Amino acid sequence: MNESEHGYPLEEYDFERRFDERVAFEWMQENWSKSFMFCGLYAALIFGGQHFMRERPKLNLRRPLVLWSLSLAIFSIIGAVRTANYMLHVLTTSGFKQSVCDPGFYSAPVSKFWAYAFVLSKAPELGDTVFIVLRKQRLIFLHWYHHITVLLYSWYSYKDQVAGGGWFMTMNYMVHSLMYTYYAARAAGMRVPRACAMIITATQILQMAMGLTVLGLVYRWMHEVRCPSYVDNIMWGTLMYLSYLVLFASFFYNSYLKGSSREKGTKAQ
C-alpha cells in the first residue's frame, strides 16, 4: 500500500490505476448533452413499446431478468464498497464538511473510475423499463421519471465536478446494491419478505432527504470554503431530490401503509 497525491491509501486494481479521468472529463464536457438524446429515445421506446405490446401476449423473460438484475447488483455492490472506502477516509481524516465539499472524489485513486462508471451506468440502467414493457407490468410515473432525471442530472453534474458528488454517488450505489439484489431474488422466484421491499423504499426516502441536506450545505458553504458548485446546479438538484422525496414517500404510503390502515379499519368494524 502506498499513498496517493490526495493522501488516500492506495489498494488499486490495474484498471482503476490506469483510468485517465482527464479524458473522461473532456468527453463528458463535450458530450453531456447527448443525455437528452438517450432520454428522448428511451421515452419513445417505452411508450411506443407499450402500444406495440397492447394486443400481444406478455413475455416471460425470467432468466434474462435474473441475469440483468444480478449484473447490476454486483456492479452496484462493488461500486458502493470502492466509493464508500474513499468517503470514509475523507470523513475520518478531514471531517464532514470536507466530505461534502471535496472535489477530489472525481480524481482520487479508485473513486475516479467509479465516479465515471456511475454516470455512464445511468444509460444502460434505462433497460430496466424494457423488462416492464415486454412483461406488460404496470409502468408508474416514478419509475420512468426517476430514470430520465437521474441520467440528465448525473451527466450534467459530472462535467463540472460539483461538490456533493461523492455523497450522491455513494448513496446511490448503496441503495442500488439492495434494490437490484432484491429484483434478482424476486426474478429468480425466491420468496422475499415484504419487509425487505419496505426497507429498500425507506432507504430511498432517506437518500433523498440526505441529498437535499447535502445540496443545502453546498449552497451554504460554496462561498465560504472551497466547495465548488453553481447555483443552477443546486437549484436543479434540489428540485430533483425534492420531487423524489415526495414521490417515494407517496409510493411508500400507498404501497405499504394505506392498505394496512384499511385492513385495521375493517377489522375494527
Side-chain angles (χ1 to χ4, degrees):
M1 182 184 297
N2 52 5
E3 292 284 325
S4 74
E5 63 186 40
H6 300 268
Y8 178 63
L10 293 180
E11 285 184 352
E12 300 164 273
Y13 295 110
D14 189 50
F15 69 92
E16 292 171 334
R17 181 171 61 254
R18 290 188 301 165
F19 177 70
D20 189 346
E21 75 279 8
R22 292 168 299 181
V23 174
F25 293 142
E26 287 176 8
W27 187 91
M28 192 60 73
Q29 286 165 357
E30 293 172 3
N31 297 281
W32 80 273
S33 58
K34 289 182 179 177
S35 59
F36 291 97
M37 179 188 71
F38 282 120
C39 291
L41 288 172
Y42 168 74
L45 283 172
I46 61 172
F47 294 114
Q50 281 188 315
H51 180 76
F52 176 80
M53 291 297 296
R54 188 169 298 162
E55 303 301 326
R56 290 170 172 79
K58 65 181 180 180
L59 304 180
N60 185 284
L61 300 177
R62 183 175 292 274
R63 287 184 180 178
L65 182 56
V66 172
L67 291 174
W68 175 262
S69 299
L70 188 60
S71 63
L72 287 173
I74 293 169
F75 167 75
S76 299
I77 290 167
I78 297 172
V81 170
R82 302 304 275 168
T83 55
N85 190 22
Y86 175 82
M87 292 299 291
L88 184 61
H89 171 76
V90 175
L91 279 166
T92 54
T93 58
S94 304
F96 177 70
K97 179 179 281 191
Q98 183 62 24
S99 75
V100 170
C101 294
D102 177 33
F105 182 86
Y106 300 96
S107 56
V110 179
S111 63
K112 63 180 182 180
F113 171 83
W114 293 102
Y116 192 55
F118 174 87
V119 297
L120 291 184
S121 72
K122 297 307 158 190
E125 279 181 9
L126 299 176
D128 289 351
T129 320
V130 173
F131 287 97
I132 292 176
V133 171
L134 295 180
R135 299 174 80 207
K136 298 184 75 169
Q137 296 177 316
R138 188 167 69 97
L139 178 60
I140 61 174
F141 171 76
L142 171 58
H143 177 94
W144 60 264
Y145 168 75
H146 181 257
H147 271 298
I148 286 175
T149 49
V150 166
L151 172 58
L152 293 175
Y153 185 71
S154 296
W155 287 34
Y156 171 60
S157 297
Y158 181 85
K159 72 179 179 67
D160 294 324
Q161 304 172 52
V162 294
W167 275 99
F168 302 149
M169 295 184 200
T170 303
M171 289 191 298
N172 195 263
Y173 268 132
M174 288 179 170
V175 171
H176 278 202
S177 299
L178 299 174
M179 186 181 76
Y180 282 114
T181 300
Y182 171 80
Y183 288 161
R186 285 289 302 273
M190 296 174 60
R191 286 193 173 186
V192 184
R194 178 182 170 86
C196 290
M198 295 178 68
I199 290 169
I200 291 169
T201 307
T203 59
Q204 289 172 314
I205 294 170
L206 289 173
Q207 177 193 353
M208 305 320 162
M210 186 62 188
L212 285 169
T213 301
V214 169
L215 283 167
L217 291 173
V218 170
Y219 180 75
R220 178 180 176 183
W221 293 333
M222 64 187 293
H223 300 301
E224 297 177 15
V225 294
R226 186 167 181 263
C227 207
S229 192
Y230 303 95
V231 173
D232 285 353
N233 185 285
I234 294 171
M235 178 190 70
W236 289 118
T238 300
L239 288 173
M240 182 187 74
Y241 271 112
L242 185 59
S243 66
Y244 291 168
L245 182 63
V246 172
L247 289 169
F248 275 101
S250 176
F251 177 80
F252 187 90
Y253 173 75
N254 290 321
S255 300
Y256 308 120
L257 301 180
K258 194 174 182 180
S260 301
S261 300
R262 286 178 178 176
E263 288 174 11
K264 288 178 182 178
T266 303
K267 289 178 181 178
Q269 290 174 2

